[in-house]
Amino acid sequence: MAKKIEGDFEISRIPPAQPYVLNQEESKRQDAFFTERSIPHVLAQSIEQYITKKVGREWNHPVIIERLRRAIVAQKDDYWKPAQKRSLQYTKGYSVLGYLAYHFPVYFMQTEYLLMMLARDGLLKKSMNILDIGTGPGVVPLAIADFYSRLDDARATVWSLERSEEHIEAFTYLRNACVPPGGRVSVKPPVKTDIRTIDRVALPDTFDLLIFSNVLNELVDPTTDVQADIVTQLSERLAPDGSILIVEPADEENAIRMRNLTITLLKKGLSIFGPCLFLWGSTCTAPRCWSFETAPAIRLPRLMETLAYCEDSYRYVNTDIKYSYAILRRDTLKRKSYHLSAGSRFLRFSKLHLHVGKRINVAGLKMSAELGDARSHVFKLCDGTAKIPVYAVLPSYHISPENDLITSAPYGSILELRNVLVRYNRQHDAYNLLVNRNTRINIENS
Ligand SMILES: C[S@@+](CC[C@H](N)C(=O)[O-])C[C@H]1O[C@@H](n2cnc3c(N)ncnc32)[C@H](O)[C@@H]1O
């Protein structure tokens, strides 16, 4: 920062921006929005109107609805193909219309939850430059504009990158319909580019937040090295106190790949803010780490309801929110500071093999929602040292006031578990830590 003093300039460092902390009213407004579980009416309506405009017939005409159904099924079939056999190019109008009808509502709400998480983590600033990479029809920018509409005076300028013309056209329509010009959030027109080669793209020098939402797994060649190169190249534009949010679908293959990517990014010099914490200081190797966050299912928008009004309705209903995410930074800030050392009265997960059949104490992060059922609760645990996956298993008849915190603790909480029995699960090549009524579990709020 330069200040003119008596014909000279005084140069000083710009003080780091303070986190934007939501006041009570802002939090209340956000909570009310999340309680509704619906995408904003104006957005749902604009998606319908865009479809009508694109196809030249009412969006709910039976022929159009049938074509949308076919596009959704084709897109899902494509998604589940091995990466090198997928097309997912979004060059045809209907592929984008199918995306708007089926994927958009869930990803939009998911982004709203992620923004709330960033706010709670103190990672939003009063004024931010944000870059959304692989924006599609503008899911993330539109969610940012909506989230900020419930804040009092935070501002953001959102840039985005996208290669598909069809997506850009949908983005532009929705932006014009839903984001008032001159508001506190300015959504810039998306830049058409391939994110693997962005050298010549005109963008601001620094961003406070880079978002990769459901894009890295859709690259034509989604190897960890290619993904890591894209993230590291863009991270050069990250402010020293900025954050990178990577979000990927929660299915086993994509979630595991995402976690491996974060470990590669660590080796390239970025650091992990969350959800991972390496409690013993050493970096983990992400052994088959299938970890994802969940949020309440959304209410069916009218378009999805119309699509689902048929025999195979389940094919057209997409309301569950499940996602794998990581926040990375250039500095070493962490979501929580909690460290274990040799003197701690807990066993490292890397030593579990020496204690099979014994009762031990451990500390670890809860890294899943419920993976079991009403008879037997199962949760993934991690302390950053495991060589194979570790799960806490709590039979329902052993639930007690001393151990039931594990069922309600949020994703990413640090738990201390005292008196659990170590079992090796041969079928899954994993360790199960059996929790019984003599186990005490508490949550660490450091
Ligand atoms: C699944 S969509 C995600 C859209 C949005 N971010 C969301 O979360 O809903 C993936 C987007 O990434 C874009 N994409 C994939 N590879 C790309 C590349 N190499 N360059 C630019 N965009 C790409 C696709 O065109 C598509 O719009």
Side-chain angles (χ1 to χ4, degrees):
M1 185 164 61
K3 195 165 124 197
K4 203 167 182 186
I5 299 176
E6 291 165 14
D8 205 349
F9 286 97
E10 184 186 271
I11 307 290
S12 59
R13 267 180 196 279
I14 298 174
Q18 293 303 305
Y20 187 87
V21 180
L22 271 57
N23 63 36
Q24 229 176 3
E25 282 308 309
E26 290 172 315
S27 298
K28 254 200 222 161
R29 290 197 286 268
Q30 300 295 2
D31 289 349
F33 167 77
F34 288 115
T35 308
E36 274 294 309
R37 298 188 289 116
S38 301
I39 66 169
H41 180 64
V42 57
L43 187 52
Q45 213 178 23
S46 303
I47 290 174
E48 293 171 357
Q49 285 164 353
Y50 180 66
I51 294 173
T52 299
K53 174 181 161 287
K54 269 299 266 189
V55 301
R57 259 176 164 178
E58 277 301 309
W59 65 271
N60 57 357
H61 189 287
V63 171
I64 306 305
I65 289 294
E66 199 41 48
R67 284 187 193 153
L68 286 172
R69 286 192 187 119
R70 264 186 265 137
I72 290 167
V73 170
Q75 208 164 76
K76 285 203 281 184
D77 288 350
D78 205 17
Y79 177 84
W80 292 111
K81 284 182 189 160
Q84 60 285 9
K85 296 212 168 133
R86 285 162 153 196
S87 66
L88 292 173
Q89 293 292 312
Y90 306 104
T91 46
K92 302 218 171 69
Y94 265 94
S95 60
V96 170
L97 301 185
Y99 195 87
L100 290 172
Y102 185 81
H103 291 288
F104 188 110
V106 155
Y107 287 154
F108 178 90
M109 288 299 278
Q110 178 174 304
T111 309
E112 299 256 11
Y113 279 104
L114 286 159
L115 291 166
M116 192 63 198
M117 173 190 78
L118 293 175
R120 289 202 178 109
D121 280 333
L123 299 183
L124 296 187
K125 304 173 193 171
K126 191 165 177 185
S127 177
M128 292 180 88
N129 268 353
I130 303 176
L131 178 64
D132 178 36
I133 299 111
T135 191
V139 173
V140 169
L142 292 165
I144 293 171
D146 185 60
F147 184 86
Y148 273 62
S149 72
R150 293 181 295 277
L151 302 181
D152 287 340
D153 56 357
R155 301 182 160 271
T157 307
V158 189
W159 277 265
S160 58
L161 307 176
E162 173 57 51
R163 69 169 174 198
S164 148
E165 295 272 13
E166 285 289 341
H167 267 312
I168 291 177
E169 188 186 331
F171 180 131
T172 309
Y173 182 93
L174 296 176
R175 179 193 74 145
N176 294 347
C178 303
V179 185
R184 282 181 289 102
V185 173
S186 161
V187 176
K188 301 282 181 196
V191 177
K192 184 174 178 341
T193 185
D194 188 316
I195 60 170
R196 292 166 300 172
T197 48
I198 55 154
D199 313 355
R200 272 162 286 150
V201 175
L203 286 172
D205 289 340
T206 52
F207 288 97
D208 304 290
L209 180 60
L210 302 176
I211 302 184
F212 296 84
S213 169
N214 302 306
V215 57
L216 293 171
N217 76 88
E218 286 206 3
L219 296 170
V220 183
D221 178 21
T223 61
T224 304
D225 286 342
V226 171
Q227 294 174 333
D229 283 348
I230 292 173
V231 178
T232 22
Q233 200 193 350
L234 278 160
S235 72
E236 285 164 17
R237 292 179 189 257
L238 189 67
D241 61 349
S243 305
I244 303 174
L245 174 62
I246 302 179
V247 193
E248 289 283 64
D251 63 88
E252 184 172 6
E253 185 183 340
N254 282 311
I256 290 177
R257 272 169 170 265
M258 203 277 305
R259 217 49 77 188
N260 288 335
L261 168 64
T262 59
I263 300 304
T264 305
L265 290 170
L266 270 185
K267 291 181 190 146
K268 287 182 173 264
L270 290 170
S271 79
I272 300 182
F273 172 88
C276 305
L277 281 183
F278 307 118
L279 301 188
W280 295 88
S282 52
T283 303
C284 94
T285 53
R288 290 181 281 131
C289 183
W290 186 11
S291 170
F292 56 87
E293 170 70 295
T294 56
I298 63 164
R299 275 187 225 266
L300 281 188
R302 179 168 70 167
L303 170 57
M304 209 187 277
E305 205 172 18
T306 312
L307 289 165
Y309 194 69
C310 62
E311 251 179 41
D312 296 335
S313 57
Y314 69 94
R315 286 175 172 238
Y316 312 107
V317 172
N318 183 23
T319 55
D320 288 352
I321 303 186
K322 292 184 179 170
Y323 53 94
S324 277
Y325 80 88
I327 301 171
L328 296 118
R329 307 225 347 146
R330 285 174 56 192
D331 60 17
T332 55
L333 190 70
K334 303 271 175 282
R335 178 175 280 155
K336 289 179 183 144
S337 63
Y338 177 90
H339 302 287
L340 295 171
S341 55
S344 312
R345 276 185 291 185
F346 295 110
L347 186 78
R348 290 167 193 255
F349 286 6
S350 59
K351 298 270 193 275
L352 286 175
H353 62 287
L354 302 172
H355 296 262
V356 174
K358 295 183 198 152
R359 298 196 155 274
I360 53 151
N361 301 335
V362 290
L365 270 73
K366 177 174 165 180
M367 289 299 282
S368 76
E370 176 69 88
L371 301 173
D373 52 35
R375 282 177 44 219
S376 195
H377 302 284
V378 179
F379 301 98
K380 181 175 169 59
L381 293 178
C382 179
D383 75 349
T385 70
K387 303 276 188 294
I388 59 175
V390 177
Y391 298 94
V393 178
L394 168 58
S396 58
Y397 53 85
H398 274 305
I399 289 189
S400 74
E402 277 70 44
N403 66 29
D404 71 345
L405 241 180
I406 194 166
T407 60
S408 57
Y411 177 86
S413 318
I414 302 170
L415 299 175
E416 295 175 344
L417 298 86
R418 292 183 171 77
N419 198 6
V420 287
L421 178 66
V422 185
R423 289 255 175 87
Y424 174 62
N425 181 331
R426 194 171 301 281
Q427 197 189 348
H428 295 289
D429 186 27
Y431 288 110
N432 287 348
L433 303 176
L434 289 186
V435 178
N436 70 9
R437 59 179 65 89
N438 297 320
T439 304
R440 271 182 303 126
I441 298 182
N442 67 284
I443 196 163
E444 229 329 290
N445 286 318
S446 47

